[in-house]
Amino acid sequence: MDEIRKVLLSVPLFKSLQEDTLENLIRSASLNTHTKKKILFIHEEKAERFFLIKSGWVKLFRETLEGDQAVIDILPQGHLFGEMSVFEGGVYPYSAEVVDKSEIISLPTNILKSEMEKNHDFALAFLDVMAKYRNRQDNEIEHRVIQNAPQRIGCFLLRLEKEEKDGIVRIHLPYDKTLVAARLGMQPETFSRALSKLKKETGIRVQGAYIEMDSIDPLASYSCIACSSEFPCGDLGKTGCSS
Amino acid sequence: MDEIRKVLLSVPLFKSLQEDTLENLIRSASLNTHTKKKILFIHEEKAERFFLIKSGWVKLFRETLEGDQAVIDILPQGHLFGEMSVFEGGVYPYSAEVVDKSEIISLPTNILKSEMEKNHDFALAFLDVMAKYRNRQDNEIEHRVIQNAPQRIGCFLLRLEKEEKDGIVRIHLPYDKTLVAARLGMQPETFSRALSKLKKETGIRVQGAYIEMDSIDPLASYSCIACSSEFPCGDLGKTGCSS
DNA sequence: CGAGGGTTTGAAGTGCATCAAATAGTGTGG
DNA sequence: CCACACTATTTGATGCACTTCAAACCCTCG
């Protein structure tokens, strides 16, 4: 229980919850461990619960009748998803699948809904989160339209956690390349070839999931030419909330 | 003044404004008539006012350093845009350009911001609008990724106002084909060819901006195969708010 | 060691963009 | 009402980016 409380409190959106609501949420929470490929919910299903990732990775996506898949996002630890049912409609806006061993907390949305109606601060916090999310989505559309494959990869890398030592920048891909490809809306083959091209163009070095470079500048200028914003254009995954 | 009041009250979001705030907005409003190509604001500019279209059409877009343009949306009468500055950051998320003789009402955002902070119902209404917008965006991403050019056009047509008589369905393109093409993220040439293909595939008949067909079924099944939702998948432009 | 998934590479195809040019439409001034 | 200018739309030819299909490779883990 205390563990769940700790995780909940780490979510920005929940900072403005009233104490009794928080208690209420915690009492109704359930923590489950899931393995790869577990489907948590399906697009357009009636949504009665929403989720919080304690650890692991979850893929959000939509699927056409023909089986083509559009990956919306891949979320790490600390992110909410499926909370949209608070609004009129109350169906999941996409499907969710665990892509790596994960601990997932599930919570009933009706508590969220009633909190939103009675707690003004919480409503404001929710608005704020939605606004941030919206910015992300706007950028996402732009990137998918304007950037080519190598640039999309570059832009993705630039927004990942970076580690700098002795003037060498190191980046670690957070999940396997096939998934990154899907996240960026391209085929694994295209990803592989585009990454090679990126190597040639910007001098980055790739060793499996590890990437390093002497400076991020070549990467930034190569990728960000095809973007409406200049380089430090915002981090991935800082909204604290994403579905 | 009374005219402005009437327009404001027709916007769903403003239904829950307190009377004094509404008065306040009306007093600070200015109504301007603009012609084609007038730029109302630029992406990342500090936003102090937001806008409401009384009549005409406005294009929202972003532009890269190289001049490539990504059209976000093209809004008709009755829509808000540029209201995002209410949130932290307070810059316009894209540029706005008038694409046809238009009457535009401009309003100061700070009134909106303070109303949001003091009026819980208004905050809830805002949340609702944001949620609707978000659904649109989600669909937008999906369409751009999964649908090909003729299907995107078909899907666009299906979401326009339809007029039915004697079993014949008539649709009228709301603005010129070049703009529709941009709105759908394709070149005018591609639009033209894709529309021809759509004619061959679904039996629709095209006369300039007028399109008619004996039934929407062939169009729906051709277009909606490449979509995660089934046919009546929501109208365009019913959010009442879009930037 | 061997099976299976992840990754890379090659060859060929598709869809859309681009460039170029013809055609249709629209509004203007005479 | 006509001719001109200008813009929108269509059509053709070609190129590039990404996909698809196929096969090899590599890595990891039982």
Side-chain angles (χ1 to χ4, degrees):
Chain A
M1 276 314 182
D2 266 358
E3 204 184 7
I4 290 184
R5 167 182 289 265
K6 216 178 75 191
V7 182
L8 289 190
L9 282 175
S10 74
V11 177
L13 178 60
F14 290 157
K15 292 238 161 57
S16 52
L17 280 180
Q18 283 164 5
E19 179 55 28
D20 60 335
T21 305
L22 184 61
E23 277 303 332
N24 203 345
L25 267 182
I26 292 173
R27 257 196 313 279
S28 323
S30 69
L31 174 60
N32 288 95
T33 301
H34 298 290
T35 53
K36 212 185 235 216
K37 305 216 170 166
K38 167 73 182 182
I39 302 284
L40 296 170
F41 56 77
I42 299 278
H43 181 203
E44 292 185 334
E45 228 171 49
K46 181 78 186 150
E48 251 126 42
R49 298 182 82 80
F50 69 103
F51 302 84
L52 171 55
I53 308 174
K54 180 162 179 283
S55 71
W57 292 89
V58 172
K59 175 176 80 175
L60 306 181
F61 65 100
R62 291 187 179 186
E63 220 162 19
T64 68
L65 298 170
E66 290 187 321
D68 289 331
Q69 211 174 65
V71 174
I72 313 285
D73 210 344
I74 292 173
L75 302 179
Q77 175 270 323
H79 278 248
L80 287 184
F81 58 97
E83 83 286 10
M84 285 307 285
S85 50
V86 178
F87 299 99
E88 223 38 73
V91 297
Y92 292 115
Y94 21 68
S95 312
E97 177 188 331
V98 171
V99 290
D100 205 7
K101 196 166 184 299
S102 302
E103 297 168 287
I104 310 284
I105 296 171
S106 100
L107 302 153
T109 42
N110 59 358
I111 299 181
L112 218 57
K113 190 176 168 84
S114 65
E115 177 78 357
M116 195 176 83
E117 274 154 15
K118 74 181 187 219
N119 178 350
H120 190 202
D121 286 337
F122 181 66
L124 290 182
F126 213 136
L127 268 169
D128 223 66
V129 166
M130 297 264 291
K132 286 215 185 71
Y133 181 79
R134 182 158 155 184
N135 275 327
R136 276 178 61 132
Q137 288 296 73
D138 287 342
N139 287 330
E140 198 59 36
I141 293 189
E142 178 182 346
H143 289 159
R144 299 224 185 187
V145 171
I146 303 190
Q147 293 180 323
N148 64 23
Q151 287 167 335
R152 279 219 293 291
I153 297 175
C155 180
F156 179 80
L157 295 178
L158 288 170
R159 287 175 296 159
L160 290 173
E161 294 297 328
K162 288 170 279 286
E163 187 190 309
E164 198 162 348
K165 212 170 61 179
D166 310 329
I168 293 185
V169 181
R170 270 172 251 271
I171 295 174
H172 178 199
L173 290 178
Y175 32 82
D176 71 45
K177 292 179 177 173
T178 308
L179 258 183
V180 177
R183 165 72 182 73
L184 298 176
M186 61 184 84
Q187 301 303 313
E189 295 95 326
T190 302
F191 180 86
S192 174
R193 287 186 253 257
L195 189 56
S196 302
K197 181 156 187 199
L198 203 59
K199 272 197 303 205
K200 268 208 300 275
E201 301 285 342
T202 68
I204 64 174
R205 298 178 287 279
V206 180
Q207 275 295 315
Y210 292 90
I211 297 174
E212 59 170 52
M213 62 204 83
D214 300 327
S215 154
I216 52 167
D217 296 342
L219 188 59
S221 64
Y222 177 82
S223 307
C224 301
I225 275 185
C227 202
S228 67
S229 311
E230 309 242 327
F231 165 49
C233 62
D235 284 311
L236 276 174
K238 288 276 175 68
T239 67
C241 164
S242 277
S243 108
Chain B
M1 277 313 184
D2 266 357
E3 204 184 9
I4 290 185
R5 167 183 289 266
K6 216 179 76 189
V7 181
L8 289 190
L9 282 175
S10 74
V11 176
L13 177 61
F14 290 158
K15 293 238 162 57
S16 53
L17 281 181
Q18 284 164 4
E19 178 56 27
D20 61 334
T21 306
L22 184 61
E23 278 304 331
N24 204 344
L25 267 183
I26 293 174
R27 257 195 314 280
S28 324
S30 68
L31 173 60
N32 288 96
T33 301
H34 297 291
T35 53
K36 216 184 231 216
K37 305 217 169 164
K38 167 72 181 182
I39 302 284
L40 296 170
F41 55 78
I42 299 279
H43 182 202
E44 291 183 338
E45 228 173 50
K46 181 78 183 147
E48 252 126 40
R49 298 183 80 81
F50 69 103
F51 302 83
L52 169 55
I53 308 174
K54 178 161 180 284
S55 70
W57 291 89
V58 172
K59 175 175 80 174
L60 306 180
F61 65 100
R62 291 187 180 187
E63 221 161 18
T64 69
L65 297 171
E66 292 187 320
D68 288 332
Q69 209 174 67
V71 173
I72 314 285
D73 210 345
I74 292 173
L75 303 179
Q77 174 271 323
H79 278 247
L80 287 184
F81 59 98
E83 83 285 11
M84 286 307 285
S85 49
V86 179
F87 299 99
E88 223 37 74
V91 297
Y92 292 115
Y94 21 67
S95 311
E97 177 188 330
V98 171
V99 290
D100 206 7
K101 195 165 184 300
S102 302
E103 297 168 287
I104 309 284
I105 296 170
S106 101
L107 302 153
T109 42
N110 59 358
I111 300 182
L112 219 56
K113 191 176 167 84
S114 65
E115 176 78 358
M116 195 177 83
E117 274 154 15
K118 72 179 188 220
N119 178 350
H120 190 202
D121 286 337
F122 181 67
L124 291 182
F126 213 135
L127 268 169
D128 224 66
V129 166
M130 296 265 292
K132 286 214 185 70
Y133 181 78
R134 181 157 156 185
N135 275 326
R136 275 176 62 130
Q137 288 295 73
D138 287 343
N139 287 330
E140 199 58 37
I141 293 188
E142 177 184 344
H143 289 160
R144 300 226 184 187
V145 171
I146 304 191
Q147 294 181 324
N148 63 23
Q151 287 167 334
R152 281 219 293 291
I153 296 175
C155 181
F156 179 80
L157 294 179
L158 288 169
R159 287 175 296 157
L160 290 174
E161 295 297 327
K162 287 171 279 288
E163 186 192 311
E164 199 162 349
K165 210 171 63 175
D166 310 329
I168 292 184
V169 181
R170 270 173 252 271
I171 296 174
H172 179 200
L173 290 178
Y175 32 82
D176 71 46
K177 292 180 177 173
T178 308
L179 259 182
V180 177
R183 165 69 183 75
L184 297 176
M186 61 185 84
Q187 299 305 310
E189 297 95 326
T190 302
F191 180 86
S192 174
R193 286 187 253 259
L195 189 56
S196 303
K197 181 156 187 200
L198 203 58
K199 273 196 303 205
K200 268 210 300 275
E201 300 285 342
T202 67
I204 64 175
R205 298 179 288 279
V206 181
Q207 275 296 316
Y210 291 90
I211 295 174
E212 58 170 53
M213 62 203 83
D214 299 327
S215 154
I216 52 168
D217 297 343
L219 188 60
S221 64
Y222 178 82
S223 306
C224 301
I225 276 185
C227 199
S228 66
S229 310
E230 309 242 327
F231 165 48
C233 61
D235 284 311
L236 277 175
K238 288 276 176 69
T239 65
C241 165
S242 276
S243 110

